[in-house]
Amino acid sequence: MELTVESLDSPALTKAQLADLLFDEIGLNKRESKEMVDAFFELISQSLVTGEDVKLSGFGNFQIRTKAPRPGRNPRTGEAIPIEARRVVTFHASSKLKEQIQEGTAGSAS
């Protein structure tokens, strides 16, 4: 399966486009394709919500990081406001993905 930027309707790859690719390349019907894409992202989301790291071989790692509370300020008024502790998702690309991006071959099978 070869996906190029030119084959996309927009500069962003959407879930609908992923489902269409499953339909075109694998032969799943449209409903099954959409359900598979939705299930994939739901599984990733639920794993992150429960605090588990998500590792996609050859792509990268999604991790939950807890940020400590810190002082901040309103940029418009300059008023000091506290920023509460929160959990954020971080993504670290794999070395394989980084190499593909540097070589400009992320969309082609070489």
Side-chain angles (χ1 to χ4, degrees), residues 70-84:
R70 60 186 172 90
R73 67 175 187 85
N74 181 329
R76 184 171 287 161
T77 64
E79 174 187 3
I81 55 171
I83 298 174
E84 296 180 10

Side-chain angles (χ1 to χ4, degrees), residues 41-89:
F41 286 106
E42 181 64 24
L43 183 58
I44 289 174
S45 298
Q46 288 304 313
S47 295
L48 291 169
V49 165
T50 60
E52 298 175 54
D53 293 345
V54 176
K55 299 179 182 196
L56 302 174
S57 180
F59 186 72
N61 300 326
F62 294 93
Q63 298 172 318
I64 293 293
R65 186 173 149 226
T66 303
K67 292 185 128 186
R70 60 186 172 90
R73 67 175 187 85
N74 181 329
R76 184 171 287 161
T77 64
E79 174 187 3
I81 55 171
I83 298 174
E84 296 180 10
R86 62 195 190 281
R87 292 175 12 153
V88 296
V89 177

Side-chain angles (χ1 to χ4, degrees), residues 58-61 91-98 101:
F59 186 72
N61 300 326
F91 174 75
H92 298 281
S94 72
S95 57
K96 185 176 180 179
L97 177 60
K98 289 178 184 177
I101 290 170

Side-chain angles (χ1 to χ4, degrees), residues 4 38 46 51:
T4 62
D38 288 341
Q46 288 304 313

